[in-house]
Amino acid sequence: MGKVLPKPILVTGSHRSGSTWVGRMIGASPQVAYIHEPFHLDHNLGFCGAQWDYWFQYICADNEAQYRRFFEKTVRLQYNLIPSWKLVNDAEYRRKVQGDRAFFAKSRAAGRRPLLKDPIALFSADWLATRFNMDVVVMIRHPAAFAYSLKKAGWFHNFRHFLDQPLLMRDHLHPFAAEIEEFVAGDEVPGGGHGRSILEHAALLWKLIHYRIATYREQFPHWQFVRHEDLSLEPLAGFQQIFDQLGLDFSDTVQRKITDYSNEKNPSVEPSLFALKRNSKANAYTWKEKLSAEEIAFIRAQVGDWSDRFYRAEEW
């Protein structure tokens, strides 16, 4: 019989939902090896050799032949060395590759569990979990908080990345096909730019992502579904539950790191887009101060009843 591999972990959910915070805190455990966003269009090809055409690439049984071998290497912590001119001519890049290879080799020798942190993997989470026997943590965030975060970042979304994936539309997003097509038609502006506001982008994207999360909750009740707000208000208790369900030691070192990254001495509003050290309790509801009443009402109307599956009326 072959060697039993350590069970991988996937942290996914909506982007801007604290998935990096959660991934990094779990990554504080010496029992895991953190791998950052292999589904990102500009990801580290050494950690995963698959290359993508779309944001939120969808993988299923019908197209897995293109991708499965790459993830088999990733979950085995086998580095994907790609010979290139940079290895010969760029000393800094060569040092990075050597460091990444050493990280994989040391983690593999130590029997660490690969931890894939990637919200962009959301629509492929069931394929990853099924094919590689992963434990899954799914992050959820309030629609208005998600919208404020995208507004602050200036992030629009090209919804053609959904329409141009017929398997994704067939399997999951077909109830929204007409709405997405209408949205795209109204958003495409000759010469570039967007015909839709960033809040319209955020609301539709939240709805599509959380529609899939809602169906995941029905299909995979053993997965962990974590609201960003709940974790932010009680980080130690929330992370202890996550660690316990993952079968990881909730050590004093891990607890100190969680406290360091979430306590009230940290800024309530992140100093930069990807800063992790925050006053988590204050940060949970920053959107209530930063968005106008009209903006909040608009977002609530756009997401419709889907928000009721995750948030009570009094949480708006």
Tab-separated table of all heavy atoms in Angstrom, residues 22-80:
chain	number	residue	atom	x	y	z
A	22	VAL	N	-7.775	34.077	8.084
A	22	VAL	CA	-8.004	32.726	8.575
A	22	VAL	C	-6.896	31.783	8.103
A	22	VAL	O	-6.357	30.987	8.884
A	22	VAL	CB	-9.388	32.220	8.122
A	22	VAL	CG1	-9.559	30.726	8.430
A	22	VAL	CG2	-10.487	33.027	8.801
A	23	GLY	N	-6.540	31.875	6.825
A	23	GLY	CA	-5.487	31.011	6.304
A	23	GLY	C	-4.165	31.210	7.017
A	23	GLY	O	-3.469	30.241	7.352
A	24	ARG	N	-3.822	32.453	7.271
A	24	ARG	CA	-2.538	32.738	7.933
A	24	ARG	C	-2.545	32.308	9.396
A	24	ARG	O	-1.508	31.864	9.914
A	24	ARG	CB	-2.221	34.231	7.826
A	24	ARG	CG	-1.856	34.693	6.424
A	24	ARG	CD	-0.570	34.060	5.948
A	24	ARG	NE	-0.142	34.610	4.664
A	24	ARG	CZ	0.913	34.177	3.971
A	24	ARG	NH1	1.658	33.192	4.449
A	24	ARG	NH2	1.234	34.716	2.816
A	25	MET	N	-3.680	32.435	10.056
A	25	MET	CA	-3.735	31.994	11.448
A	25	MET	C	-3.655	30.473	11.531
A	25	MET	O	-2.964	29.927	12.397
A	25	MET	CB	-5.006	32.505	12.120
A	25	MET	CG	-5.105	34.031	12.240
A	25	MET	SD	-3.702	34.846	13.070
A	25	MET	CE	-2.781	35.491	11.653
A	26	ILE	N	-4.336	29.779	10.638
A	26	ILE	CA	-4.184	28.321	10.595
A	26	ILE	C	-2.752	27.973	10.217
A	26	ILE	O	-2.161	27.024	10.734
A	26	ILE	CB	-5.178	27.687	9.598
A	26	ILE	CG1	-6.621	27.986	10.010
A	26	ILE	CG2	-4.964	26.174	9.510
A	26	ILE	CD1	-7.659	27.536	8.990
A	27	GLY	N	-2.182	28.780	9.317
A	27	GLY	CA	-0.805	28.555	8.882
A	27	GLY	C	0.224	28.769	9.972
A	27	GLY	O	1.388	28.396	9.809
A	28	ALA	N	-0.194	29.366	11.099
A	28	ALA	CA	0.716	29.500	12.239
A	28	ALA	C	1.005	28.162	12.887
A	28	ALA	O	1.968	28.019	13.645
A	28	ALA	CB	0.124	30.467	13.266
A	29	SER	N	0.179	27.174	12.582
A	29	SER	CA	0.399	25.838	13.129
A	29	SER	C	1.556	25.164	12.400
A	29	SER	O	1.614	25.170	11.167
A	29	SER	CB	-0.862	24.984	12.961
A	29	SER	OG	-0.573	23.617	13.219
A	30	PRO	N	2.466	24.554	13.129
A	30	PRO	CA	3.551	23.811	12.479
A	30	PRO	C	3.072	22.539	11.798
A	30	PRO	O	3.848	21.861	11.130
A	30	PRO	CB	4.489	23.485	13.647
A	30	PRO	CG	3.607	23.468	14.855
A	30	PRO	CD	2.567	24.517	14.604
A	31	GLN	N	1.781	22.244	11.930
A	31	GLN	CA	1.224	21.028	11.321
A	31	GLN	C	0.788	21.250	9.878
A	31	GLN	O	0.397	20.289	9.210
A	31	GLN	CB	0.027	20.534	12.145
A	31	GLN	CG	0.363	20.116	13.567
A	31	GLN	CD	-0.883	19.885	14.386
A	31	GLN	OE1	-1.419	20.767	15.051
A	31	GLN	NE2	-1.371	18.660	14.343
A	32	VAL	N	0.820	22.508	9.408
A	32	VAL	CA	0.332	22.788	8.059
A	32	VAL	C	1.372	23.567	7.261
A	32	VAL	O	2.288	24.181	7.819
A	32	VAL	CB	-1.001	23.573	8.080
A	32	VAL	CG1	-2.052	22.846	8.899
A	32	VAL	CG2	-0.790	24.980	8.605
A	33	ALA	N	1.203	23.546	5.923
A	33	ALA	CA	2.046	24.318	5.004
A	33	ALA	C	1.129	25.216	4.176
A	33	ALA	O	0.303	24.724	3.392
A	33	ALA	CB	2.847	23.387	4.095
A	34	TYR	N	1.263	26.514	4.353
A	34	TYR	CA	0.368	27.491	3.730
A	34	TYR	C	0.728	27.694	2.256
A	34	TYR	O	1.884	27.956	1.919
A	34	TYR	CB	0.468	28.815	4.483
A	34	TYR	CG	-0.366	29.939	3.912
A	34	TYR	CD1	-1.666	30.154	4.356
A	34	TYR	CD2	0.155	30.787	2.939
A	34	TYR	CE1	-2.429	31.193	3.840
A	34	TYR	CE2	-0.601	31.825	2.420
A	34	TYR	CZ	-1.895	32.025	2.873
A	34	TYR	OH	-2.643	33.053	2.357
A	35	ILE	N	-0.286	27.601	1.385
A	35	ILE	CA	-0.114	27.813	-0.058
A	35	ILE	C	-1.116	28.877	-0.480
A	35	ILE	O	-2.327	28.715	-0.329
A	35	ILE	CB	-0.338	26.506	-0.843
A	35	ILE	CG1	0.664	25.449	-0.395
A	35	ILE	CG2	-0.224	26.754	-2.349
A	35	ILE	CD1	0.361	24.058	-0.922
A	36	HIS	N	-0.606	29.966	-1.039
A	36	HIS	CA	-1.426	31.151	-1.290
A	36	HIS	C	-2.036	31.146	-2.693
A	36	HIS	O	-1.336	31.180	-3.693
A	36	HIS	CB	-0.570	32.412	-1.111
A	36	HIS	CG	-1.347	33.680	-1.163
A	36	HIS	ND1	-2.117	34.122	-0.109
A	36	HIS	CD2	-1.488	34.615	-2.148
A	36	HIS	CE1	-2.683	35.270	-0.421
A	36	HIS	NE2	-2.321	35.586	-1.659
A	37	GLU	N	-3.352	31.077	-2.767
A	37	GLU	CA	-4.181	31.344	-3.944
A	37	GLU	C	-3.680	30.724	-5.254
A	37	GLU	O	-3.329	31.434	-6.194
A	37	GLU	CB	-4.360	32.852	-4.100
A	37	GLU	CG	-5.066	33.454	-2.899
A	37	GLU	CD	-5.472	34.906	-3.069
A	37	GLU	OE1	-5.183	35.501	-4.130
A	37	GLU	OE2	-6.076	35.447	-2.123
A	38	PRO	N	-3.697	29.400	-5.353
A	38	PRO	CA	-3.280	28.762	-6.600
A	38	PRO	C	-4.227	29.015	-7.767
A	38	PRO	O	-3.864	28.743	-8.915
A	38	PRO	CB	-3.233	27.272	-6.237
A	38	PRO	CG	-4.139	27.131	-5.062
A	38	PRO	CD	-3.999	28.411	-4.296
A	39	PHE	N	-5.452	29.534	-7.516
A	39	PHE	CA	-6.376	29.849	-8.598
A	39	PHE	C	-6.261	31.291	-9.073
A	39	PHE	O	-6.949	31.692	-10.015
A	39	PHE	CB	-7.824	29.580	-8.163
A	39	PHE	CG	-8.249	28.142	-8.288
A	39	PHE	CD1	-7.741	27.172	-7.426
A	39	PHE	CD2	-9.153	27.753	-9.258
A	39	PHE	CE1	-8.135	25.846	-7.533
A	39	PHE	CE2	-9.556	26.422	-9.376
A	39	PHE	CZ	-9.037	25.470	-8.513
A	40	HIS	N	-5.414	32.076	-8.440
A	40	HIS	CA	-5.205	33.464	-8.865
A	40	HIS	C	-4.577	33.467	-10.259
A	40	HIS	O	-3.740	32.625	-10.577
A	40	HIS	CB	-4.299	34.183	-7.866
A	40	HIS	CG	-4.306	35.662	-7.992
A	40	HIS	ND1	-3.659	36.334	-9.012
A	40	HIS	CD2	-4.872	36.621	-7.201
A	40	HIS	CE1	-3.829	37.628	-8.857
A	40	HIS	NE2	-4.561	37.838	-7.771
A	41	LEU	N	-4.984	34.419	-11.100
A	41	LEU	CA	-4.449	34.459	-12.464
A	41	LEU	C	-2.941	34.673	-12.481
A	41	LEU	O	-2.268	34.292	-13.442
A	41	LEU	CB	-5.141	35.562	-13.277
A	41	LEU	CG	-6.623	35.345	-13.598
A	41	LEU	CD1	-7.134	36.454	-14.504
A	41	LEU	CD2	-6.870	33.992	-14.235
A	42	ASP	N	-2.418	35.278	-11.430
A	42	ASP	CA	-0.979	35.533	-11.352
A	42	ASP	C	-0.384	34.793	-10.156
A	42	ASP	O	0.343	35.362	-9.350
A	42	ASP	CB	-0.724	37.043	-11.227
A	42	ASP	CG	0.750	37.399	-11.363
A	42	ASP	OD1	1.488	36.648	-12.047
A	42	ASP	OD2	1.176	38.405	-10.773
A	43	HIS	N	-0.678	33.499	-10.041
A	43	HIS	CA	-0.242	32.739	-8.886
A	43	HIS	C	1.182	32.208	-9.068
A	43	HIS	O	1.770	32.313	-10.140
A	43	HIS	CB	-1.201	31.572	-8.619
A	43	HIS	CG	-1.173	30.509	-9.669
A	43	HIS	ND1	-1.805	30.631	-10.876
A	43	HIS	CD2	-0.584	29.285	-9.698
A	43	HIS	CE1	-1.614	29.548	-11.607
A	43	HIS	NE2	-0.866	28.703	-10.910
A	44	ASN	N	1.697	31.633	-7.999
A	44	ASN	CA	3.037	31.048	-7.994
A	44	ASN	C	2.985	29.690	-8.708
A	44	ASN	O	2.468	28.719	-8.171
A	44	ASN	CB	3.516	30.879	-6.547
A	44	ASN	CG	4.958	30.410	-6.444
A	44	ASN	OD1	5.465	29.712	-7.323
A	44	ASN	ND2	5.629	30.784	-5.358
A	45	LEU	N	3.522	29.637	-9.924
A	45	LEU	CA	3.461	28.407	-10.715
A	45	LEU	C	4.322	27.292	-10.130
A	45	LEU	O	4.139	26.129	-10.481
A	45	LEU	CB	3.886	28.692	-12.153
A	45	LEU	CG	2.900	29.525	-12.979
A	45	LEU	CD1	3.529	29.935	-14.313
A	45	LEU	CD2	1.607	28.771	-13.220
A	46	GLY	N	5.242	27.629	-9.253
A	46	GLY	CA	6.013	26.599	-8.578
A	46	GLY	C	5.163	25.800	-7.612
A	46	GLY	O	5.345	24.591	-7.454
A	47	PHE	N	4.203	26.468	-6.981
A	47	PHE	CA	3.321	25.805	-6.028
A	47	PHE	C	2.186	25.062	-6.715
A	47	PHE	O	1.680	24.079	-6.196
A	47	PHE	CB	2.748	26.817	-5.041
A	47	PHE	CG	3.769	27.349	-4.062
A	47	PHE	CD1	3.480	28.458	-3.281
A	47	PHE	CD2	5.003	26.748	-3.912
A	47	PHE	CE1	4.400	28.957	-2.368
A	47	PHE	CE2	5.937	27.227	-3.002
A	47	PHE	CZ	5.635	28.340	-2.227
A	48	CYS	N	1.767	25.546	-7.873
A	48	CYS	CA	0.740	24.860	-8.667
A	48	CYS	C	0.949	25.236	-10.124
A	48	CYS	O	0.893	26.420	-10.475
A	48	CYS	CB	-0.665	25.247	-8.211
A	48	CYS	SG	-1.966	24.443	-9.181
A	49	GLY	N	1.174	24.238	-10.975
A	49	GLY	CA	1.528	24.510	-12.359
A	49	GLY	C	0.372	24.807	-13.283
A	49	GLY	O	0.581	25.148	-14.449
A	50	ALA	N	-0.861	24.701	-12.798
A	50	ALA	CA	-2.018	24.991	-13.647
A	50	ALA	C	-2.052	26.479	-13.998
A	50	ALA	O	-1.727	27.330	-13.171
A	50	ALA	CB	-3.304	24.592	-12.938
A	51	GLN	N	-2.469	26.778	-15.218
A	51	GLN	CA	-2.618	28.162	-15.656
A	51	GLN	C	-4.069	28.387	-16.065
A	51	GLN	O	-4.722	27.498	-16.610
A	51	GLN	CB	-1.661	28.478	-16.799
A	51	GLN	CG	-0.196	28.309	-16.391
A	51	GLN	CD	0.772	28.865	-17.405
A	51	GLN	OE1	0.707	30.029	-17.795
A	51	GLN	NE2	1.706	28.023	-17.847
A	52	TRP	N	-4.547	29.609	-15.809
A	52	TRP	CA	-5.980	29.884	-15.902
A	52	TRP	C	-6.300	30.916	-16.977
A	52	TRP	O	-5.513	31.828	-17.243
A	52	TRP	CB	-6.505	30.392	-14.559
A	52	TRP	CG	-6.052	29.580	-13.388
A	52	TRP	CD1	-5.220	29.973	-12.374
A	52	TRP	CD2	-6.393	28.207	-13.107
A	52	TRP	NE1	-5.028	28.951	-11.481
A	52	TRP	CE2	-5.732	27.847	-11.905
A	52	TRP	CE3	-7.181	27.259	-13.745
A	52	TRP	CZ2	-5.847	26.585	-11.329
A	52	TRP	CZ3	-7.297	25.998	-13.183
A	52	TRP	CH2	-6.640	25.676	-11.991
A	53	ASP	N	-7.498	30.776	-17.515
A	53	ASP	CA	-8.033	31.758	-18.463
A	53	ASP	C	-9.032	32.691	-17.796
A	53	ASP	O	-9.332	33.760	-18.345
A	53	ASP	CB	-8.735	31.036	-19.625
A	53	ASP	CG	-7.788	30.181	-20.441
A	53	ASP	OD1	-6.680	30.659	-20.751
A	53	ASP	OD2	-8.149	29.028	-20.762
A	54	TYR	N	-9.569	32.301	-16.659
A	54	TYR	CA	-10.672	33.036	-16.053
A	54	TYR	C	-10.476	33.211	-14.549
A	54	TYR	O	-9.916	32.352	-13.884
A	54	TYR	CB	-12.008	32.286	-16.262
A	54	TYR	CG	-12.290	31.929	-17.684
A	54	TYR	CD1	-12.185	30.602	-18.129
A	54	TYR	CD2	-12.664	32.911	-18.610
A	54	TYR	CE1	-12.453	30.268	-19.446
A	54	TYR	CE2	-12.924	32.578	-19.931
A	54	TYR	CZ	-12.812	31.256	-20.346
A	54	TYR	OH	-13.069	30.928	-21.646
A	55	TRP	N	-11.000	34.335	-14.047
A	55	TRP	CA	-11.212	34.438	-12.613
A	55	TRP	C	-12.321	33.462	-12.233
A	55	TRP	O	-13.309	33.311	-12.956
A	55	TRP	CB	-11.633	35.858	-12.225
A	55	TRP	CG	-10.548	36.878	-12.319
A	55	TRP	CD1	-10.480	37.933	-13.193
A	55	TRP	CD2	-9.370	36.973	-11.504
A	55	TRP	NE1	-9.347	38.663	-12.980
A	55	TRP	CE2	-8.644	38.106	-11.944
A	55	TRP	CE3	-8.859	36.204	-10.450
A	55	TRP	CZ2	-7.440	38.485	-11.360
A	55	TRP	CZ3	-7.660	36.582	-9.871
A	55	TRP	CH2	-6.966	37.711	-10.323
A	56	PHE	N	-12.170	32.811	-11.105
A	56	PHE	CA	-13.110	31.801	-10.638
A	56	PHE	C	-13.200	30.638	-11.628
A	56	PHE	O	-14.290	30.200	-12.009
A	56	PHE	CB	-14.506	32.395	-10.381
A	56	PHE	CG	-14.538	33.445	-9.307
A	56	PHE	CD1	-14.547	34.798	-9.621
A	56	PHE	CD2	-14.550	33.087	-7.961
A	56	PHE	CE1	-14.568	35.770	-8.636
A	56	PHE	CE2	-14.577	34.050	-6.968
A	56	PHE	CZ	-14.577	35.387	-7.311
A	57	GLN	N	-12.038	30.148	-12.043
A	57	GLN	CA	-12.004	28.982	-12.916
A	57	GLN	C	-12.783	27.829	-12.288
A	57	GLN	O	-12.642	27.535	-11.099
A	57	GLN	CB	-10.565	28.542	-13.147
A	57	GLN	CG	-10.408	27.312	-14.009
A	57	GLN	CD	-10.666	27.578	-15.474
A	57	GLN	OE1	-10.121	28.521	-16.032
A	57	GLN	NE2	-11.504	26.754	-16.096
A	58	TYR	N	-13.609	27.196	-13.097
A	58	TYR	CA	-14.430	26.079	-12.629
A	58	TYR	C	-13.842	24.766	-13.134
A	58	TYR	O	-13.605	24.595	-14.324
A	58	TYR	CB	-15.863	26.237	-13.139
A	58	TYR	CG	-16.779	25.095	-12.769
A	58	TYR	CD1	-17.021	24.776	-11.431
A	58	TYR	CD2	-17.419	24.339	-13.760
A	58	TYR	CE1	-17.880	23.731	-11.088
A	58	TYR	CE2	-18.280	23.306	-13.426
A	58	TYR	CZ	-18.508	23.005	-12.094
A	58	TYR	OH	-19.348	21.978	-11.754
A	59	ILE	N	-13.618	23.833	-12.200
A	59	ILE	CA	-13.131	22.494	-12.547
A	59	ILE	C	-14.166	21.478	-12.089
A	59	ILE	O	-14.684	21.555	-10.973
A	59	ILE	CB	-11.782	22.186	-11.876
A	59	ILE	CG1	-10.746	23.277	-12.184
A	59	ILE	CG2	-11.249	20.838	-12.356
A	59	ILE	CD1	-9.414	23.074	-11.468
A	60	CYS	N	-14.455	20.530	-12.960
A	60	CYS	CA	-15.382	19.455	-12.630
A	60	CYS	C	-14.926	18.191	-13.360
A	60	CYS	O	-13.876	18.194	-14.025
A	60	CYS	CB	-16.815	19.820	-13.029
A	60	CYS	SG	-17.040	20.085	-14.799
A	61	ALA	N	-15.695	17.139	-13.277
A	61	ALA	CA	-15.302	15.870	-13.903
A	61	ALA	C	-15.120	16.003	-15.406
A	61	ALA	O	-14.299	15.307	-16.013
A	61	ALA	CB	-16.350	14.799	-13.589
A	62	ASP	N	-15.856	16.936	-16.025
A	62	ASP	CA	-15.810	17.071	-17.478
A	62	ASP	C	-14.529	17.707	-17.995
A	62	ASP	O	-14.194	17.551	-19.171
A	62	ASP	CB	-17.009	17.880	-17.977
A	62	ASP	CG	-18.321	17.129	-17.833
A	62	ASP	OD1	-18.261	15.897	-17.635
A	62	ASP	OD2	-19.387	17.752	-17.905
A	63	ASN	N	-13.827	18.467	-17.165
A	63	ASN	CA	-12.603	19.127	-17.654
A	63	ASN	C	-11.396	18.912	-16.746
A	63	ASN	O	-10.340	19.527	-16.937
A	63	ASN	CB	-12.831	20.634	-17.836
A	63	ASN	CG	-13.103	21.371	-16.531
A	63	ASN	OD1	-13.247	20.762	-15.476
A	63	ASN	ND2	-13.187	22.692	-16.601
A	64	GLU	N	-11.507	18.012	-15.772
A	64	GLU	CA	-10.442	17.843	-14.796
A	64	GLU	C	-9.147	17.312	-15.385
A	64	GLU	O	-8.073	17.483	-14.788
A	64	GLU	CB	-10.888	16.922	-13.664
A	64	GLU	CG	-11.079	15.477	-14.078
A	64	GLU	CD	-11.391	14.572	-12.900
A	64	GLU	OE1	-11.481	15.057	-11.765
A	64	GLU	OE2	-11.537	13.355	-13.127
A	65	ALA	N	-9.201	16.667	-16.544
A	65	ALA	CA	-7.995	16.095	-17.145
A	65	ALA	C	-6.924	17.157	-17.393
A	65	ALA	O	-5.727	16.864	-17.383
A	65	ALA	CB	-8.341	15.386	-18.447
A	66	GLN	N	-7.350	18.404	-17.586
A	66	GLN	CA	-6.396	19.483	-17.833
A	66	GLN	C	-5.661	19.920	-16.574
A	66	GLN	O	-4.597	20.530	-16.670
A	66	GLN	CB	-7.128	20.701	-18.407
A	66	GLN	CG	-7.928	20.461	-19.662
A	66	GLN	CD	-8.702	21.699	-20.048
A	66	GLN	OE1	-8.131	22.768	-20.292
A	66	GLN	NE2	-10.020	21.584	-20.083
A	67	TYR	N	-6.230	19.628	-15.423
A	67	TYR	CA	-5.750	20.252	-14.194
A	67	TYR	C	-5.347	19.280	-13.088
A	67	TYR	O	-4.568	19.649	-12.208
A	67	TYR	CB	-6.844	21.180	-13.640
A	67	TYR	CG	-7.412	22.131	-14.657
A	67	TYR	CD1	-8.718	21.990	-15.128
A	67	TYR	CD2	-6.639	23.183	-15.150
A	67	TYR	CE1	-9.238	22.874	-16.073
A	67	TYR	CE2	-7.153	24.071	-16.093
A	67	TYR	CZ	-8.456	23.904	-16.547
A	67	TYR	OH	-8.953	24.773	-17.481
A	68	ARG	N	-5.870	18.092	-13.122
A	68	ARG	CA	-5.731	17.205	-11.958
A	68	ARG	C	-4.276	16.929	-11.614
A	68	ARG	O	-3.899	16.941	-10.436
A	68	ARG	CB	-6.467	15.881	-12.207
A	68	ARG	CG	-6.431	14.959	-10.999
A	68	ARG	CD	-7.409	13.824	-11.137
A	68	ARG	NE	-7.369	12.950	-9.975
A	68	ARG	CZ	-8.251	11.996	-9.736
A	68	ARG	NH1	-9.258	11.798	-10.564
A	68	ARG	NH2	-8.136	11.240	-8.654
A	69	ARG	N	-3.422	16.721	-12.610
A	69	ARG	CA	-2.025	16.368	-12.330
A	69	ARG	C	-1.306	17.486	-11.588
A	69	ARG	O	-0.409	17.226	-10.778
A	69	ARG	CB	-1.283	16.023	-13.620
A	69	ARG	CG	-1.064	17.181	-14.576
A	69	ARG	CD	-0.475	16.707	-15.898
A	69	ARG	NE	-0.095	17.791	-16.785
A	69	ARG	CZ	-0.940	18.434	-17.579
A	69	ARG	NH1	-2.235	18.105	-17.577
A	69	ARG	NH2	-0.520	19.407	-18.361
A	70	PHE	N	-1.685	18.723	-11.853
A	70	PHE	CA	-1.033	19.839	-11.168
A	70	PHE	C	-1.392	19.850	-9.679
A	70	PHE	O	-0.522	20.075	-8.823
A	70	PHE	CB	-1.430	21.170	-11.816
A	70	PHE	CG	-0.993	21.300	-13.248
A	70	PHE	CD1	-1.922	21.359	-14.268
A	70	PHE	CD2	0.360	21.358	-13.570
A	70	PHE	CE1	-1.520	21.486	-15.588
A	70	PHE	CE2	0.776	21.475	-14.889
A	70	PHE	CZ	-0.176	21.543	-15.904
A	71	PHE	N	-2.646	19.608	-9.374
A	71	PHE	CA	-3.057	19.611	-7.975
A	71	PHE	C	-2.602	18.359	-7.246
A	71	PHE	O	-2.406	18.389	-6.028
A	71	PHE	CB	-4.566	19.813	-7.870
A	71	PHE	CG	-4.978	21.234	-8.115
A	71	PHE	CD1	-5.414	21.641	-9.367
A	71	PHE	CD2	-4.878	22.178	-7.107
A	71	PHE	CE1	-5.768	22.958	-9.597
A	71	PHE	CE2	-5.222	23.504	-7.324
A	71	PHE	CZ	-5.666	23.885	-8.578
A	72	GLU	N	-2.415	17.264	-7.968
A	72	GLU	CA	-1.831	16.082	-7.337
A	72	GLU	C	-0.430	16.396	-6.815
A	72	GLU	O	-0.037	15.939	-5.742
A	72	GLU	CB	-1.807	14.923	-8.333
A	72	GLU	CG	-3.177	14.310	-8.573
A	72	GLU	CD	-3.174	13.258	-9.656
A	72	GLU	OE1	-2.181	13.201	-10.429
A	72	GLU	OE2	-4.159	12.500	-9.753
A	73	LYS	N	0.327	17.183	-7.576
A	73	LYS	CA	1.656	17.585	-7.108
A	73	LYS	C	1.549	18.562	-5.938
A	73	LYS	O	2.299	18.471	-4.967
A	73	LYS	CB	2.449	18.221	-8.249
A	73	LYS	CG	2.878	17.272	-9.345
A	73	LYS	CD	3.834	17.926	-10.328
A	73	LYS	CE	5.170	18.250	-9.679
A	73	LYS	NZ	6.165	18.751	-10.669
A	74	THR	N	0.609	19.495	-6.042
A	74	THR	CA	0.466	20.504	-4.989
A	74	THR	C	0.137	19.857	-3.650
A	74	THR	O	0.755	20.180	-2.630
A	74	THR	CB	-0.612	21.529	-5.366
A	74	THR	OG1	-0.233	22.205	-6.569
A	74	THR	CG2	-0.789	22.565	-4.266
A	75	VAL	N	-0.839	18.951	-3.631
A	75	VAL	CA	-1.241	18.353	-2.345
A	75	VAL	C	-0.184	17.387	-1.824
A	75	VAL	O	-0.209	17.039	-0.635
A	75	VAL	CB	-2.614	17.654	-2.443
A	75	VAL	CG1	-3.700	18.655	-2.829
A	75	VAL	CG2	-2.587	16.479	-3.399
A	76	ARG	N	0.744	16.972	-2.683
A	76	ARG	CA	1.879	16.165	-2.232
A	76	ARG	C	3.079	17.037	-1.872
A	76	ARG	O	4.134	16.532	-1.512
A	76	ARG	CB	2.273	15.160	-3.324
A	76	ARG	CG	1.309	14.008	-3.470
A	76	ARG	CD	1.716	13.093	-4.631
A	76	ARG	NE	0.980	11.836	-4.614
A	76	ARG	CZ	-0.262	11.669	-5.061
A	76	ARG	NH1	-0.899	12.718	-5.593
A	76	ARG	NH2	-0.854	10.501	-5.004
A	77	LEU	N	2.890	18.360	-1.975
A	77	LEU	CA	3.954	19.319	-1.695
A	77	LEU	C	5.192	19.031	-2.555
A	77	LEU	O	6.326	19.073	-2.080
A	77	LEU	CB	4.304	19.325	-0.205
A	77	LEU	CG	3.161	19.761	0.722
A	77	LEU	CD1	3.555	19.594	2.184
A	77	LEU	CD2	2.760	21.206	0.456
A	78	GLN	N	4.934	18.776	-3.823
A	78	GLN	CA	6.001	18.566	-4.797
A	78	GLN	C	6.126	19.822	-5.649
A	78	GLN	O	5.194	20.189	-6.365
A	78	GLN	CB	5.707	17.341	-5.674
A	78	GLN	CG	5.684	16.037	-4.891
A	78	GLN	CD	5.215	14.857	-5.719
A	78	GLN	OE1	4.627	15.025	-6.784
A	78	GLN	NE2	5.466	13.650	-5.239
A	79	TYR	N	7.260	20.466	-5.561
A	79	TYR	CA	7.453	21.738	-6.245
A	79	TYR	C	7.461	21.550	-7.762
A	79	TYR	O	8.010	20.576	-8.287
A	79	TYR	CB	8.766	22.386	-5.790
A	79	TYR	CG	8.933	23.807	-6.277
A	79	TYR	CD1	8.274	24.852	-5.639
A	79	TYR	CD2	9.735	24.098	-7.369
A	79	TYR	CE1	8.417	26.157	-6.076
A	79	TYR	CE2	9.887	25.399	-7.819
A	79	TYR	CZ	9.228	26.428	-7.170
A	79	TYR	OH	9.369	27.714	-7.613
A	80	ASN	N	6.833	22.483	-8.460
A	80	ASN	CA	6.718	22.429	-9.914
A	80	ASN	C	7.784	23.335	-10.534
A	80	ASN	O	7.551	24.507	-10.785
A	80	ASN	CB	5.317	22.880	-10.346
A	80	ASN	CG	5.095	22.771	-11.838
A	80	ASN	OD1	5.243	21.688	-12.406
A	80	ASN	ND2	4.748	23.868	-12.465
